[in-house]
Structure formats: C-alpha cells, structure tokens
C-alpha cells in the first residue's frame, strides 16, 4: 500500500468515526500476507485507529488473516498491547503435506514455525482460528495436527478454535472423494481433547457473511473497493474507489446488482431450506450468473444433511454438553 492510499485509509477511519455512532469499529488485515508490511502499513493504521477510537469513544477490535510464518516475538507483544482480538491462520494438512505445499523461499519447515507461533499467540491470550484446508489427499494427515495441539494447557485451549475448509479446487474435482466419516472423526478428536471446532452448520441468515453487511468495505492496496476477500481483485470486479478525502464512491449499478441477488432465483424462492440458507452469499449468487440451479450445488440428500446438521449441532450436542 502506497503512502497516498495509507493516508486515504486513515482519513476514511477518521471520517467514519466522526460522522456515525458505532457500536464497534472492526479492522481486519488481509492479503497476500499483511505481515510483510507490518511496520510500514499495519502498525500505522492500528495506531491511527486506536487514537481516533479514543477521541470518538468507540470500541474497536482488530483481526488478521495471516499465514502465521512472519510472526515474531516483537509483533506478538505489540499485538497484545494493541489488544488484537484474533488471527485466522491456515495449515494445509499435517506437517509433511503442509511443507510440500507451503514452503518458504529459502526452504525449510514452515509448519513447525507456524505451529510454534500459534502457541505463542495463545499464551498471550490472543484468539486463533486455526483453518485447516483439507483435500481427499491430505485428510489422513490431520491426525498429526491433533497431536501437536492436544498438549496445550486448558487455559490456552480456550483461545483456539479449529475451522475445517475443503479446498475449492478439490471440491470441484469429481474424481476427488472425501471420506466424510473420517472428517467427522477428526473433528470429534479435537473436541475430545478440549479444543473447540466450528460446527458444519449454515448460519447465513442470522449471521451473514461479512461481505453481505452494509457497513463493510474492503480497501485494496491501491484504493480500489471490494466486498469479498475470496475472489480475484481485478479492475472489472471492483465496486468503487477510495477518494482523497477518505470518502468512498461506489458503482451504483454494481451495488444494486449485488444487493438484489440473494433469493432472486426461482430455484431459491421454492427451496425448502431457504429459511436456513437465505439464498447463500451475494458473491456466490453473482458468480452463478443466470443459472437457475442451486447455487450451493445441493441435491435433495444434501439439503437433508444440512437440516440434520442444524438439529444435531444446535440441539443434540448442546443438550449433551449441558
């Protein structure tokens, strides 16, 4: 991010805080890898946010999506001082598999370094969402991740949550079959060791995707505005620009299209799980174009599974834990 865009972003923060009364201002850093420019971009923005939130008496929270590799003791100490609330850090399978996929430029064992950094964050009471990217090929290696985190103290485990995500390229490969029972066993194993696991339930209506929230903006490094972090940041897909005075100018046609896409398809309007799904997220709706097929690609058995998961994780498991 250039100094010019950094300055515009600071003005955006100040202008937003000065013109509205917010319950909270939530600032999240995403990349690429945001820790590459921690001293040049991240630290100045955090310091500005804290200063302005103090002036306007507004609570704040700060989060990161990071690969965790560049975390240092100094950065972790500063994050603790800044009251950073959480980091989402990804592992691509167990140690050997992960190191084949995610290796540093100079080579070496990135897995062990990332796991060590996660444990340091937990020790300073910074929450970590450990996102495990699984495929049909790496699923069996997850048992080594369980072994690496089962030894945490109970106080450290309170700040860790595991989130399983299937790699989308793998899910689109018809020859790639995931053993769902094996996956459920790994989830249960984390829980048996006192580690919270995000349940595979749909919560798109009551807790919609961040990109579907009206008062949310994604500021790219060059000042272009987007909503979703999970798509390419191309010029064709940008929704607006960050102006010199810190205001945002949005493309009204693109925003109108985005805001009207949920439940706009006939297949969604007659779907029996629409009250749970809510027509999925707006980005998926846009990506599906004029197709009248289920945006999530669900057949009737898939819909049954979603309903049963809602019942099991929201009612049965809660009653057992109580």
């Amino acid at each position: 991010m250039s100094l010019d865009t950094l300055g515009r972003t600071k003005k955006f923060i100040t202008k937003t805080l000065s013109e509205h009364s917010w319950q909270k201002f939530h600032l999240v850093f995403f990349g690429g890898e945001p820790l590459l420019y921690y001293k040049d971009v991240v630290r100045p923005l955090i310091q500005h946010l804290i200063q302005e939130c103090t002036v306007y008496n507004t609570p704040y929270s700060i989060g990161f999506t990071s690969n965790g590799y560049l975390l240092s003791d100094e950065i972790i100490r500063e994050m603790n001082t800044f009251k950073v609330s959480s980091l989402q850090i990804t592992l691509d399978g167990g140690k050997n598999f992960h190191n084949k996929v995610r290796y540093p430029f100079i080579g070496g064992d990135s897995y062990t370094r990332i796991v060590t950094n996660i444990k340091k964050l937990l020790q300073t009471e910074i929450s970590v969402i450990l996102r495990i990217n699984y495929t049909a090929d790496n699923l069996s290696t997850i048992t080594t991740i369980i072994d690496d985190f089962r030894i945490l103290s109970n106080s450290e485990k309170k700040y860790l949550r595991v989130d399983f995500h299937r790699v989308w390229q793998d899910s689109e490969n018809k020859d790639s079959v995931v053993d769902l029972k094996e996956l459920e066993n790994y989830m249960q194993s984390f829980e048996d060791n006192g580690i919270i696991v995000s349940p595979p339930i749909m919560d798109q209506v009551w807790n919609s995707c961040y990109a579907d929230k009206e008062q949310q903006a994604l500021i790219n490094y060059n000042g272009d505005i987007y909503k979703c972090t999970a798509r390419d940041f191309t010029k064709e897909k940008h929704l607006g620009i960050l102006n010199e005075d810190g205001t945002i100018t949005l493309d009204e046609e693109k925003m109108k299209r985005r805001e009207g896409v949920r439940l706009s398809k006939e297949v969604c309007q007659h779907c029996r799980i629409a009250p749970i799904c809510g027509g999925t997220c707006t980005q998926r709706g846009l990506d599906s174009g004029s197709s009248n097929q289920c945006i999530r690609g669900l057949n009737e058995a898939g819909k049954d599974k979603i309903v049963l998961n809602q019942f099991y994780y929201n009612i049965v498991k809660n009653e057992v834990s109580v």
Side-chain angles (χ1 to χ4, degrees), residues 265-318:
K265 296 179 183 291
E266 186 179 356
V267 67
C268 295
Q269 294 165 11
H270 298 284
C271 179
R272 60 189 170 94
I273 66 164
I276 299 175
C277 173
T280 193
C281 70
T282 54
Q283 189 61 55
R284 285 190 182 189
L286 288 169
D287 292 346
S288 68
S290 59
S291 167
N292 195 37
Q293 301 298 312
C294 173
I295 299 169
R296 292 183 180 273
L298 296 171
N299 56 21
E300 294 306 306
K303 294 175 187 178
D304 288 343
K305 182 67 175 175
I306 285 173
V307 174
L308 289 170
N309 278 348
Q310 301 291 110
F311 177 76
Y312 178 69
Y313 286 97
N314 286 327
I315 298 176
V316 176
K317 290 207 74 164
N318 279 347

Side-chain angles (χ1 to χ4, degrees), residues 20-294:
H20 302 275
S21 177
W22 301 105
Q23 289 183 332
K24 181 178 279 190
F25 192 109
H26 190 45
L27 176 65
V28 182
F29 293 92
F30 184 87
E33 174 48 53
L35 296 183
L36 277 168
Y37 298 97
Y38 177 81
K39 292 181 179 179
D40 298 326
V41 177
V42 172
R43 182 195 283 157
L45 273 178
I46 290 178
Q47 290 172 330
H48 182 78
L49 173 72
I50 294 173
Q51 171 189 300
E52 297 301 275
C53 282
T54 302
V55 170
Y56 295 102
N57 195 29
T58 303
Y60 68 87
S61 62
I62 300 166
F64 286 80
T65 295
S66 167
N67 62 28
Y69 185 80
L70 295 176
L71 283 166
S72 65
D73 291 344
E74 178 191 1
I75 290 176
I76 292 173
R77 277 195 301 270
E78 283 200 350
M79 285 183 171
N80 197 256
T81 302
F82 294 146
K83 295 182 170 54
V84 169
S85 52
S86 67
L87 282 84
Q88 177 175 283
I89 297 175
T90 304
L91 290 176
D92 289 299
K95 180 177 178 178
N96 292 335
F97 195 97
H98 171 97
N99 284 337
K100 290 178 182 177
V101 178
R102 298 246 304 274
Y103 50 88
F105 180 73
I106 57 174
D109 178 7
S110 71
Y111 176 91
T112 299
R113 180 165 171 170
I114 292 168
V115 168
T116 299
N117 287 337
I118 290 173
K119 291 177 180 178
K120 288 179 179 179
L121 288 167
L122 300 175
Q123 288 163 6
T124 59
E125 300 183 354
I126 295 176
S127 295
V128 175
I129 301 167
L130 174 57
R131 175 168 170 157
I132 298 177
N133 289 336
Y134 69 90
T135 65
D137 291 333
N138 76 7
L139 188 61
S140 62
T141 70
I142 289 174
T143 184
T144 63
I145 304 177
I146 300 170
D147 291 338
D148 285 321
F149 287 99
R150 72 167 82 239
I151 59 175
L152 294 171
S153 68
N154 289 335
S155 59
E156 291 166 348
K157 289 176 182 176
K158 285 194 306 184
Y159 295 97
L160 178 64
R161 190 177 91 223
V162 176
D163 206 356
F164 285 88
H165 280 262
R166 188 174 182 186
V167 176
W168 67 267
Q169 292 96 330
D170 188 67
S171 64
E172 291 186 351
N173 181 358
K174 294 179 181 178
D175 297 325
S176 180
V177 180
V178 167
D179 186 335
L180 295 179
K181 187 62 181 174
E182 184 181 9
L183 176 62
E184 290 172 0
N185 288 339
Y186 290 136
M187 294 172 69
Q188 187 61 49
S189 184
F190 273 110
E191 292 188 340
D192 290 343
N193 283 281
I195 298 171
I196 299 169
V197 177
S198 298
I201 59 174
M202 200 175 281
D203 195 18
Q204 194 67 45
V205 176
W206 296 105
N207 185 24
S208 65
C209 172
Y210 60 87
D212 287 341
K213 298 185 188 300
E214 183 180 357
Q215 301 298 340
Q216 179 265 359
L218 189 160
I219 301 174
N220 201 17
Y221 73 94
N222 60 355
D224 284 347
I225 301 298
Y226 298 82
K227 295 289 280 185
C228 178
T229 60
R231 295 297 183 273
D232 293 334
F233 297 158
T234 62
K235 206 70 180 174
E236 296 75 30
K237 293 182 180 179
H238 90 294
L239 299 171
I241 57 170
L242 178 64
N243 299 312
E244 193 172 343
D245 63 354
T247 60
I248 287 176
T249 299
L250 293 172
D251 184 314
E252 292 184 10
E253 267 310 305
K254 287 183 178 179
M255 289 303 299
K256 188 176 180 181
R257 216 161 40 239
R258 172 178 282 275
E259 291 163 359
V261 74
R262 288 184 74 177
L263 293 174
S264 63
K265 296 179 183 291
E266 186 179 356
V267 67
C268 295
Q269 294 165 11
H270 298 284
C271 179
R272 60 189 170 94
I273 66 164
I276 299 175
C277 173
T280 193
C281 70
T282 54
Q283 189 61 55
R284 285 190 182 189
L286 288 169
D287 292 346
S288 68
S290 59
S291 167
N292 195 37
Q293 301 298 312
C294 173

